[in-house]
Amino acid sequence: MRLDVYVETGCRFCERAMEIAQEMGDAYPRMSVRVIDVAEASAISDVFAVPTFVLDDKVISIGNPDPSDLRRAIESLLSPEALP
């Protein structure tokens, strides 16, 4: 499972996005979490705003999600034995 968080330098909401990404990485250590700066990334097809949260190649939030909603989305994809 992978969570990609797209951010951009200078974005006033992206600092919180990076904090949320860190929280999810800490809570779900088996999940790969990548913070991607759109200014440095190439061939980004589905991202048109920052921050954007993509879980297993599916856009789940444009803007910062509520962390509890993000946890529910992650846990819905995890097998019971993989839950923290």
Side-chain angles (χ1 to χ4, degrees):
M1 174 175 296
R2 187 179 77 230
L3 176 66
D4 293 333
V5 181
Y6 293 89
V7 298
E8 185 172 25
T9 303
C11 163
R12 65 184 182 129
F13 301 106
C14 293
E15 185 173 319
R16 178 65 182 136
M18 291 185 278
E19 291 170 0
I20 293 170
Q22 181 66 49
E23 290 171 26
M24 296 305 117
D26 292 345
Y28 304 97
R30 291 187 171 164
M31 179 175 64
S32 171
V33 177
R34 299 185 309 171
V35 175
I36 302 163
D37 188 324
V38 295
E40 298 173 8
S42 61
I44 299 171
S45 60
D46 293 338
V47 176
F48 59 87
V50 291
T52 295
F53 287 71
V54 179
L55 183 60
D56 281 351
D57 297 321
K58 179 181 175 191
V59 174
I60 59 166
S61 182
I62 297 172
N64 288 321
D66 181 288
S68 61
D69 291 340
L70 182 53
R71 287 178 189 266
R72 278 192 291 279
I74 292 167
E75 290 177 6
S76 74
L77 297 176
L78 290 173
S79 60
E81 61 273 3
L83 292 173

